Amino acid sequence: MKPPCYIGLDEARRVLAEMGIELNERQMKRAADKDPHGRRKLPFFVDPIEGKLRIEKGTLVRIYRELQVEAENNTRKE
């Protein structure tokens, strides 16, 4: 099993860009910031040592893959 790889906002943007999802800094920050209900669009968390937002790289990629599969499964078959 691979150990987790935690990345920050900038690296998360680069990972998504490699997948063809180009986001600017503001869009990435909005996805990481909490909404009025205290929830985030993506599962970023505050690193207890550095106090910066982090996300597990595999989780970020998995979320997009799962959404892709869901979209494919929801297409109409004629």
Side-chain angles (χ1 to χ4, degrees), residues 6-12 28-34 40 42-56:
Y6 297 105
I7 57 177
L9 287 172
D10 288 336
E11 193 168 348
M28 196 73 222
K29 184 157 174 28
R30 284 180 45 210
D33 285 343
K34 290 182 179 180
R40 301 178 195 275
L42 294 172
F44 281 88
F45 64 94
V46 178
D47 182 313
I49 297 171
E50 294 184 13
K52 295 181 179 181
L53 288 172
R54 302 269 185 227
I55 190 169
E56 203 281 317

Side-chain angles (χ1 to χ4, degrees), residues 6-20:
Y6 297 105
I7 57 177
L9 287 172
D10 288 336
E11 193 168 348
R13 275 184 59 218
R14 284 192 291 275
V15 168
L16 292 175
E18 290 172 4
M19 296 169 54

